[in-house]
Amino acid sequence: MEPMNNESIASGSTVTIGLKKFHNGRFSDTEDILAIEEPLEIRLGYGPSGNRKVSNVSVTMRTPGSDEELATGFLFTEGIISNRDQISKVEHLFIACREDKQNTILVNLTENAIPKLPEIERSFYTTSSCGVCGKGSIEAIRTVGPPKKEDIGLFQIDSGTLIALSEKLRAAQNVFRKTGGLHACAFFDRAGELLLVREDVGRHNALDKLIGAGLENRSVPMDDGILLLSGRASFELIQKAVMAGIKIVVAVGAPSSLAVELSKEFNITLIGFMREDRFNVYTSPERIIFE
C-alpha cells in the first residue's frame, strides 16, 4: 500500500476574528483562530449518455479541504455506490454566489453504474439567490426560524455564575460517568440552577432531546436561560438554539466560523472554551456582567 496524502485541510480552512476574553476576573480584547465551517452540497450524476440525471444527494457542514474524498466517502458509506470503479469523475461546480464559494461538488458515475439512492432526497439549505454558502444557510434559518425581536429588559448573567456551570453539568452526567462516551446538553436558569440535562452519543441528538423536553413541558421559547454544550459549537447546534429561542449558548469547546456568524445574526451570546477561570465571548458580550 502506497503512502497516503495527509494534506487533508485546505489553506483557507481558518479565519481570525476579534473577541473578548475573560481570565482571572478581567475582560480583554484579543483574537482567535476559528475553523471555517461551510456547507458542501453533494450531487450525483448517473445514467446513460443520452439520459444523464443529476440528483442532489446531501448537504453536509464541513471544513473546506479534501472535498472530493468527503463526497466519495459519503456515497460509499451510505451504500449509494459500492466501489471506486463506479466513479468516472469528481468535480467542483462554480455556482454564482455572493461569497464565490466552491461549495457544490458533482460525482459523476460511469454509464453502467446504478446508484442506490434513497426514496426521498435528503433535506438541505439552498436559496435561489445564493446557492450553497454560509450566507445562504443563514438566510434559510431566517426563513423558517422565529422572527427576530429586540430584548425586553436585557437578560444578563455574571461571569461567576457562568464559570460554575461546567461543574454542575459534570455532576449531572450520570451515563457519561459510567461510559465516558456521551455528549451532553444542559439548560440553566438565570441564577445558574440546572433545569434540564440530556445525553446522547451524538451532540445533535442530545440537543434535540433537550429541546423536545422543553416542548413537552411548554417552556419553548427557551429565552430565559442558558444552554451549555459539552463539546464544540457548530452551525447546526446554533441553528437548533435559534429555533428554540435560546439567547445564551456556552460551549466547553471551540465554535466554528459559521456558528459565530449565525449567533451574530440572531443576537445570541456565544461563549466558547469555558474553563474554571476563563472563557471567550464571541458575540453579544453585553449580556455578560463581570466584577
Side-chain angles (χ1 to χ4, degrees):
M1 184 175 180
E2 296 182 1
M4 298 181 68
N5 179 7
N6 290 317
E7 291 296 325
S8 61
I9 299 298
S11 58
S13 61
T14 61
V15 63
T16 301
I17 69 163
L19 58 92
K20 289 191 175 295
K21 187 179 189 71
F22 180 83
H23 186 202
N24 289 335
R26 295 178 180 237
F27 269 118
S28 60
D29 293 320
T30 185
E31 293 183 337
D32 193 15
I33 299 174
L34 302 183
I36 290 176
E37 183 181 28
E38 284 285 344
L40 178 69
E41 180 184 351
I42 300 173
R43 297 184 181 181
L44 187 66
Y46 58 97
S49 59
N51 188 28
R52 294 291 286 180
K53 297 179 181 179
V54 175
S55 291
N56 301 314
V57 178
S58 178
V59 165
T60 184
M61 292 295 174
R62 100 298 189 198
T63 296
S66 301
D67 290 341
E68 295 87 351
E69 296 170 354
L70 173 58
T72 56
F74 172 85
L75 293 174
F76 176 74
T77 57
E78 290 290 313
I80 295 171
I81 63 173
S82 58
N83 60 72
R84 176 61 180 83
D85 293 337
Q86 292 181 295
I87 300 172
S88 62
K89 184 180 180 182
V90 183
E91 57 185 326
H92 274 99
L93 301 181
F94 180 81
I95 297 176
C97 171
R98 72 183 67 177
E99 294 183 352
D100 292 330
K101 302 286 187 181
Q102 286 191 327
N103 282 344
T104 301
I105 196 163
L106 174 63
V107 179
N108 286 291
L109 301 187
T110 59
E111 291 190 29
N112 59 354
I114 302 175
K116 295 180 180 178
L117 290 170
E119 293 182 4
I120 301 175
E121 293 184 352
R122 296 167 183 268
S123 300
F124 53 86
Y125 297 108
T126 58
T127 65
S128 58
S129 62
C130 192
V132 180
C133 66
K135 288 293 187 291
S137 299
I138 291 174
E139 287 172 3
I141 300 302
R142 189 187 298 121
T143 300
V144 300
K148 292 173 65 175
K149 59 182 181 180
E150 297 297 324
D151 287 341
I152 301 175
L154 186 65
F155 169 20
Q156 292 183 304
I157 185 170
D158 67 85
S159 56
T161 300
L162 282 173
I163 286 175
L165 298 183
S166 295
E167 181 57 37
K168 293 180 180 179
L169 173 58
R170 282 192 293 270
Q173 285 185 264
N174 297 324
V175 182
F176 179 82
R177 283 198 302 275
K178 298 175 182 177
T179 67
L182 292 185
H183 292 285
C185 297
F187 192 69
F188 299 84
D189 65 16
R190 295 187 182 201
E193 293 301 316
L194 181 63
L195 301 177
L196 284 171
V197 63
R198 293 293 184 270
E199 295 178 282
D200 196 276
V201 291
R203 56 173 59 90
H204 307 94
N205 296 341
L207 184 51
D208 282 338
K209 289 178 180 180
L210 186 136
I211 294 173
L215 287 169
E216 189 68 23
N217 63 30
R218 303 185 184 279
S219 60
V220 175
M222 305 166 76
D223 55 1
D224 199 34
I226 307 128
L227 173 65
L228 177 61
L229 308 173
S230 65
R232 65 183 182 86
S234 66
F235 169 84
E236 288 146 313
L237 294 179
I238 300 302
Q239 168 211 335
K240 294 176 188 295
V242 168
M243 298 301 292
I246 296 169
K247 289 299 185 181
I248 298 180
V249 179
V250 182
V252 173
S256 70
S257 64
L258 200 53
V260 171
E261 288 186 43
L262 186 60
S263 297
K264 187 178 297 183
E265 170 69 22
F266 285 90
N267 191 25
I268 290 174
T269 299
L270 178 58
I271 296 168
F273 291 108
M274 174 59 69
R275 299 294 185 268
E276 293 180 355
D277 63 345
R278 70 189 70 184
F279 55 82
N280 293 343
V281 185
Y282 293 90
T283 55
S284 300
E286 63 274 7
R287 291 196 181 92
I288 311 302
I289 304 169
F290 67 97
E291 298 176 356

